[in-house]
Amino acid sequence: AIKLASNESPLGPSPMAVKAIQRALEKMHRYPNSGSYDLIGRLARRLKINRDNIVLGNGSDDLIAMLAQVLLQAGDEAVLPLPSFLFYDIVIRSSGATPIGVPLKSYSTDLDGMLASINSKTRLVFVNNPHNPTGSLISKESLEAFIAALPADIVLVLDEAYFEFVRERNCPDSVDYLKSDKIVVGLRTFSKAYGLAGLRIGYGLMPPFLAELLNRVRQPFNVNLLAQAGAIAALEDEDYLANTVALVYDELDFL
């Protein structure tokens, strides 16, 4: 069997990441840094944001679960595209809340339909951009109009798992909305473009007050020692990331 359903990189991780992980093996008898201090510092410098805007997770799934734990309870609702990443539905239901699925329109997220589905029970809105599974992209103008129309007390989660593969350079970037008057969370991962799916590591970008709430419920040592070491090295190997993305573009055009 050739497994294609999880979008794993056929190229594997950066050799720099592999070497960093091998070096870290000698320290496996020690717990990892609970706050992922070095990795958060690297991400903050790379994204030009503050450390307190970043929360790390055991994959972005971990962050989705933390958001649901902090923000949802029985009787609440969360709006999401239909179909979409299945784990949204799972964590919403596990929190006792109700998922409100809005069907796609021409394989794209129906932002108008999602706005129409928001009511006094809505706490969370999930948007993945590029959309999973269709790959469609919401334009910057459309997303900003959507954000402007959102009630101020609703949290918008922008799942950007495939952000590195976007060719349209004018695409939305969750970093740009961290200081907006609306509550926007960006989710990213090292699983796809960086080829570290087996290590389970992702990160969330959000206002500091929300990051502080997630850190209250975050499990200690949720990002393991090898994942932290591999992710730091992967961030440094910009050439490997660029070559990975270029190959995907070439093969996508071929297909």
Side-chain angles (χ1 to χ4, degrees):
I2 298 174
K3 181 170 174 276
L4 300 177
S6 297
N7 294 331
E8 297 153 320
S9 172
L11 299 178
S14 154
M16 287 174 57
V18 173
K19 289 179 180 178
I21 292 164
Q22 290 170 339
R23 289 193 297 270
L25 289 172
E26 299 177 357
K27 302 176 182 177
M28 281 199 300
H29 59 300
R30 302 293 186 189
Y31 287 106
N33 182 277
S34 182
S36 302
Y37 184 85
D38 290 339
L39 177 54
I40 285 180
R42 296 291 180 95
L43 285 167
R45 290 193 294 273
R46 183 184 184 89
L47 299 171
K48 296 182 173 66
I49 59 177
N50 295 325
R51 298 180 61 95
D52 57 5
N53 287 123
I54 303 171
V55 180
L56 293 185
N58 182 34
S60 54
D61 296 7
D62 188 23
L63 292 155
I64 295 167
M66 283 189 266
L67 286 164
Q69 184 179 356
V70 166
L71 298 171
L72 296 177
Q73 59 185 349
D76 291 339
E77 293 181 356
V79 177
L80 64 158
L82 187 68
S84 190
F85 183 40
L86 185 60
F87 197 59
Y88 304 151
D89 187 272
I90 292 171
V91 298
I92 293 166
R93 292 181 189 276
S94 68
S95 300
T98 302
I100 306 298
V102 178
L104 303 182
K105 184 178 289 186
S106 300
Y107 300 103
S108 298
T109 304
D110 182 3
L111 294 179
D112 291 336
M114 296 183 78
L115 281 174
S117 299
I118 291 172
N119 57 49
S120 60
K121 297 179 180 179
T122 308
R123 298 290 175 265
L124 269 174
V125 175
F126 287 97
V127 172
N128 40 13
N129 198 41
H131 180 261
N132 177 9
T134 69
S136 60
L137 186 68
I138 299 169
S139 71
K140 190 171 185 178
E141 294 73 22
S142 295
L143 183 66
E144 290 181 353
F146 179 75
I147 292 172
L150 283 176
D153 59 344
I154 286 178
V155 176
L156 171 62
V157 180
L158 285 178
D159 189 340
E160 299 174 316
Y162 298 93
F163 181 80
E164 290 83 5
F165 294 111
V166 177
R167 299 200 221 198
E168 174 53 62
R169 289 299 93 195
N170 192 35
C171 74
D173 182 339
S174 59
V175 172
D176 295 337
Y177 310 115
L178 288 177
K179 294 182 179 179
S180 88
D181 57 351
K182 302 298 172 68
I183 309 171
V184 179
V185 175
L187 296 180
R188 297 187 185 173
T189 181
F190 286 92
S191 295
K192 308 302 183 184
Y194 289 99
L196 298 178
L199 287 181
R200 310 306 304 123
I201 180 164
Y203 57 100
L205 312 171
M206 63 198 76
F209 83 89
L210 185 55
E212 197 272 331
L213 291 175
L214 263 65
N215 278 316
R216 291 187 197 181
V217 302
R218 180 177 60 81
Q219 292 188 21
F221 315 118
N222 65 325
V223 178
N224 70 69
L225 180 77
L226 304 184
Q228 291 185 39
I232 289 171
L235 284 174
E236 295 298 312
D237 197 349
E238 296 183 2
D239 288 342
Y240 192 82
L241 175 64
N243 290 337
T244 298
V245 172
L247 178 62
V248 170
Y249 289 172
D250 288 344
E251 296 305 312
L252 181 58
D253 291 340
F254 167 77
L255 182 63

